[in-house]
Amino acid sequence: LAIASLSASAQEYPSKIITMAMPYAPGGPGDTITRLFASAMQKTLGQQIVVENVAGAGGSIGTAKVARSAPDGYNLLMIHISHATNSLMIKNLSYDPVKDFEPIGLATVGPMVLVARKDFPPVGTQEFVDYIRKNGEKISMGNAGAGSASHLCSLLFMETLGIKPTLIPYKGTGPALNDLMGGQIDLLCDQTTGTMPAIKANRVKAYAVAGSKRLESLPDLPSLNEAGVKGFDISIWFGLYAPKGTPKPIIDKLSDALAKAVLDPVVKERLEGIGSAPVAPALATPAKLREHLQNEINMFTPLIKSAGLYVN
Ligand code: MLT
């Protein structure tokens, strides 16, 4: 009887509102991306998808909540690189990022930029790099908590330039950007999906792409590479998950809706407008996300161990 009811519920799925958890605060890049995909996917699924920001502890609080939620297809998680790095940097997590989740598929990949408060002294990228090398101990950098993309970028920045700024954690880079615009902190490494509006509105000073090449969306912004900072290349992927045990027919319906969302012209245009891009439909699958997460865990484990931040 259980099997029959299970397959019946899979056939009816979705028959009620779906919750998509975003483990960072409203107003940040994760929030923007999650809302965009929720509105695109609900068109295919024919049910409302409500985005719930469950922030804190580098994204691990929201992730833990989804891990222990009902595996019925109505509790989803949109998360990024921190699904790999939280488990390497935060003690006693109540979940395993691989064992406790069903991957649905990859959604986007996007770049990061270094932005400062409006009155930060250096002029231009080279002067910025020279200034940071000299004054790194005196500056404050915001991030979204241990293992977040902004935290990882800050660590890479510190390692590459040999500096030790004060790192200030927030519940997301939405709140961090507000403090940056208010002049309370000096610097933020964040995804363009969070910073593009503030850059275009001239409310922060963009100094460099946190990568090896320029962005089509910000053609006048040099890369760190151009200022002699080699080997610095970070881009942030987002993927969609459900709790372990969510039935395969439901996962397949969600993966199909995600594969349609990455082809949605609204999604493509909106993401390109903020310097990001949807993945190809072939990557919006459980197998590709499973493989990608494992690769990221394999890549970051030695990096985080060598930085002395590994906790497991
Ligand atoms: C991060 O990892 O920095 C987060 O994506 C920030 C956010 O989305 O608020």
Side-chain angles (χ1 to χ4, degrees):
L1 190 64
I3 301 289
S5 66
L6 199 62
S7 65
S9 64
Q11 258 134 40
E12 289 150 24
Y13 178 85
S15 58
K16 63 181 183 177
I17 287 177
I18 298 165
T19 300
M20 190 180 282
M22 169 14 65
Y24 295 99
D31 187 51
T32 299
I33 285 168
T34 306
R35 291 179 192 284
L36 189 57
F37 275 88
S39 62
M41 288 177 68
Q42 65 189 17
K43 285 190 267 186
T44 306
L45 292 166
Q47 274 295 341
Q48 195 188 351
I49 299 181
V50 172
V51 173
E52 187 190 26
N53 297 84
V54 186
S60 60
I61 288 178
T63 305
K65 182 175 179 195
V66 176
R68 61 173 180 270
S69 62
D72 56 8
Y74 295 100
N75 303 287
L76 308 180
L77 171 72
M78 178 68 88
I79 191 165
H80 60 3
I81 203 164
S82 69
H83 200 50
T85 49
N86 279 161
S87 61
L88 304 174
M89 298 173 81
I90 299 176
K91 269 191 189 316
N92 311 323
L93 278 188
S94 61
Y95 61 86
D96 178 297
V98 176
K99 295 197 192 91
D100 294 329
F101 291 88
E102 300 291 353
I104 294 165
L106 282 159
T108 72
V109 184
M112 300 190 86
V113 288
L114 284 152
V115 289
R117 57 182 163 79
K118 270 299 280 169
D119 52 357
F120 202 56
V123 174
T125 307
Q126 188 59 62
E127 201 180 302
F128 166 72
V129 170
D130 299 342
Y131 180 93
I132 296 290
R133 285 193 205 283
K134 266 204 291 296
N135 301 282
E137 316 301 317
K138 293 184 220 130
I139 64 165
S140 57
M141 281 187 87
N143 65 62
S148 65
S150 44
H151 182 233
L152 294 169
C153 180
S154 305
L155 294 177
L156 208 51
F157 193 57
M158 289 160 65
E159 170 121 355
T160 313
L161 294 188
I163 56 163
K164 282 208 177 325
T166 303
L167 300 184
I168 301 178
Y170 292 80
K171 288 189 180 300
T173 48
L177 186 65
N178 286 339
D179 270 9
L180 189 74
M181 291 189 284
Q184 270 84 21
I185 55 174
D186 297 316
L187 198 55
L188 177 64
C189 179
D190 192 17
Q191 301 156 67
T192 54
T193 41
T195 51
M196 187 65 83
I199 294 171
K200 298 273 189 198
N202 221 356
R203 300 189 60 194
V204 293
K205 227 178 189 178
Y207 277 105
V209 178
S212 54
K213 50 188 185 306
R214 294 195 181 205
L215 307 174
E216 275 175 41
S217 55
L218 291 167
D220 302 334
L221 184 63
S223 70
L224 277 175
N225 194 37
E226 289 175 63
V229 179
K230 302 299 179 196
F232 196 115
D233 221 342
I234 186 163
S235 68
I236 304 304
W237 57 274
F238 276 84
L240 194 59
Y241 288 91
K244 186 75 185 166
T246 305
K248 187 175 179 320
I250 291 179
I251 295 290
D252 291 346
K253 272 189 186 175
L254 287 163
S255 176
D256 171 62
L258 179 59
K260 287 185 172 68
V262 296
L263 290 174
D264 185 318
V266 171
V267 170
K268 187 168 163 41
E269 190 186 327
R270 180 95 170 72
L271 284 176
E272 282 170 0
I274 47 180
S276 181
V279 299
L283 296 179
T285 66
K288 285 295 182 189
L289 179 55
R290 183 176 289 110
E291 176 191 343
H292 188 78
L293 176 64
Q294 197 52 61
N295 292 343
E296 293 280 281
I297 291 172
N298 298 345
M299 180 181 71
F300 275 104
T301 301
L303 281 177
I304 286 169
K305 278 186 175 173
S306 65
L309 294 159
Y310 186 72
V311 293
N312 291 330

